[in-house]
Amino acid sequence: MEEVKLLGMWLSPYSYRVIWALKLKGIAYEYMEEDLSNKSPLLLQCNPVHKKIPVLIHGGKPICESSVILEYIEEIWPQNSLLPCDPYERAIARFWIKFADDKGPIVWKICGTRGEERQKVIEESLEMLKTIEEHGLGDKKFFGGDNISMVDIAFGGLAYWPGVIEKVLGRNLLEAHKFPRLHAWTKNFEEVPEVKENLPDLGRLLKRET
Amino acid sequence: MAAVKLHGFWASPFSHRVIWALKIKGVDYEYIEEDLSNKSELLLKYNPVYKKIPVLVHGGKPIAESLIILEYIEETWPDNPLLPSDPYERAKARFWIQYGADQSPLFRAFFLSTGGEEQEKAAKEFSEVLKIIEEKALGDKKFFGGDSINLVDISYATLAYWFKNVEEVIGVKVLEPNTLPRLYQWAQNIMEVPVIKENIPDNDKMLAYTRLIREKILAEQLNK
């Protein structure tokens, strides 16, 4: 099998998306941690357009943008499928992955904002979480049904980031009584072995964000 | 074959994208025009998350978001493929489709710019993005898809007709033959592709609509 390398960053949820997908598929890869304040020549060469992680390098060929990488991984290594077989179900899955890309990032902004702006970001985040719980997750255990899928992976950052936000805000954004299903999902998601063994250290995350 | 319906809006390039893909694949469909100031119950039911067009409904099952719809059409009707068969080339195509989608804020900034430094900055930034697209995505190819158009061309086609109207309304040109020769030529070429040429609205009507929608948004911004 051709060599697989991942250029990533320890706190990035986009980096973890790729790690979880590779682990779930049992793909061996070399992980290279990038210092984003001093980007490697390899990163700049592999992603000249965005200069961002994650970048997957397969047999020397770079693939950029985590959602694109996930689709690539699914196509090259079809075992332990992360997308449904049915084209309609796949379209629904892709809709939610795009939602995670387009709307998900609002939660990362909570820590970086203050006062009125932070309040606005919190309100938008709660709206976003409500939409995901009602329309995306519904009564399923995972977004993928009984097993985790690319959608769960795409929302994976939501599983650990609320822990950071809780320390910063002094309250849990994903309160169990407000978001019972999503709250349960975070617990279920973090229990999946490939996820459990590949999460950023909360202590280290907190030090950075507080 | 289960019935295919498309809820669209006559002036929306996102709506046009889906029409082109369906036509290229030879799929029969029923078109339903939505009044965006008075959205149908059906639209709100089919797209509760965004409440937007286009929505494709296949056998009663709705799919929202134009790029998601395009991937669905590609998978459901594989004849006349619109994505490369090689996974790596497909990843590159998806990268560029995503890149185009990510430029919406920049495009909006240019569209709503009213003059002076603000407008110069917006035009310059948008031009730099177009330069990247020209150099790295298009290169020396006739189309992003090579000799014939693919989903990347379809996703960027807005530049070839809608954007021209934006330039006219604002009075600032960005996509010019002397600064972006290959992309400019691509824009001319894609408008000659029959399925595109025959499936865009009358340009005078679209120009008037572009002017109207810009004034409306600017007025709304002032009132906030």
Side-chain angles (χ1 to χ4, degrees), chain A residues 62 75 88 90 94 98-99, chain B residues 50 62 75 88 90 94:
Chain A
E75 284 177 20
Y88 182 73
R90 284 160 84 89
R94 284 178 173 137
K98 188 168 194 297
F99 186 91
Chain B
Y50 295 113
E75 282 191 3
Y88 182 69
R90 220 179 3 258
R94 285 181 174 135

Side-chain angles (χ1 to χ4, degrees), chain A residues 13-14 16-18 20 66-67 70 93-94 96-101 104-105 108 143 148-159 185 189:
Chain A
Y14 302 105
Y16 282 100
R17 283 177 171 185
V18 181
W20 296 328
S66 64
S67 305
L70 291 178
R94 284 178 173 137
W96 287 106
I97 293 164
K98 188 168 194 297
F99 186 91
D101 282 345
W108 321 138
F143 288 91
I148 79 168
S149 73
M150 212 183 274
V151 185
D152 298 88
I153 289 174
F155 281 119
L158 288 182
W185 171 81
F189 184 73

Side-chain angles (χ1 to χ4, degrees), chain B residues 48-167:
Chain B
V49 174
Y50 295 113
K51 306 176 175 50
K52 283 183 178 181
I53 58 90
V55 174
L56 189 79
V57 188
H58 187 200
K61 298 193 283 193
I63 301 126
E65 292 292 282
S66 66
L67 296 181
I68 307 295
I69 296 170
L70 291 178
E71 288 258 13
Y72 176 79
I73 289 171
E74 175 64 8
E75 282 191 3
T76 307
W77 295 282
D79 286 346
N80 301 332
L82 292 170
L83 277 178
S85 49
D86 172 68
Y88 182 69
E89 293 302 317
R90 220 179 3 258
K92 282 205 295 195
R94 285 181 174 135
F95 174 89
W96 287 110
I97 292 169
Q98 185 58 45
Y99 183 79
D102 289 345
Q103 306 316 317
S104 294
L106 256 187
F107 175 78
R108 194 182 161 85
F110 178 65
F111 184 51
L112 298 175
S113 65
T114 46
E117 243 180 72
E118 177 215 6
Q119 189 161 82
E120 264 180 54
K121 181 170 177 274
K124 182 167 181 282
E125 285 180 345
F126 201 70
S127 178
E128 282 163 6
V129 159
L130 294 183
K131 194 97 206 123
I132 290 171
I133 292 168
E134 182 185 73
E135 272 173 32
K136 297 196 187 294
L138 183 63
D140 294 319
K141 304 194 298 287
K142 183 179 183 190
F143 297 113
F144 291 93
D147 295 326
S148 58
I149 67 171
N150 72 358
L151 285 191
V152 185
D153 295 90
I154 288 175
S155 72
Y156 280 113
T158 319
L159 285 173
Y161 68 111
W162 181 264
F163 189 66
K164 236 179 12 172
N165 289 338
V166 167
E167 287 175 321

Side-chain angles (χ1 to χ4, degrees), chain A residues 50-71:
Chain A
H50 297 299
K51 306 175 176 53
K52 285 184 178 179
I53 58 90
V55 177
L56 189 78
I57 309 174
H58 184 206
K61 297 192 284 196
I63 301 111
C64 310
E65 291 293 285
S66 64
S67 305
V68 177
I69 296 171
L70 291 178
E71 291 264 7

